[in-house]
Amino acid sequence: ITLKQTYQTLSGSIRTGATTTPITGAKLNGEHISFTAGRVKYSGRVRGNSMDGESSNGKWTATRAGS
């Protein structure tokens, strides 16, 4: 996941293997994050340098690069 944050609005993309898909409808409200990539909806929590949650494809995790 590559994210850019402007206040509570996020933009970016998610990479699965060799495929990169733009993120749409991304929101951050406190520690809660939600976004869509392609037809997959993601929701989860931000905890320090990591995020985790669930999508319509199952559980997901992400860690800040360099941490």
Side-chain angles (χ1 to χ4, degrees), residues 10-25:
L10 304 170
S11 61
S13 61
I14 188 167
R15 188 178 70 214
T16 304
T19 304
T20 301
T21 306
I23 289 174
T24 59

Side-chain angles (χ1 to χ4, degrees), residues 13-50:
S13 61
I14 188 167
R15 188 178 70 214
T16 304
T19 304
T20 301
T21 306
I23 289 174
T24 59
K27 298 271 184 181
L28 181 64
N29 185 2
E31 65 180 20
H32 299 281
I33 187 169
S34 61
F35 56 91
T36 301
R39 296 181 182 196
V40 180
K41 294 183 179 184
Y42 295 81
S43 63
R45 289 186 138 155
V46 177
R47 294 183 178 109
N49 289 328
S50 65

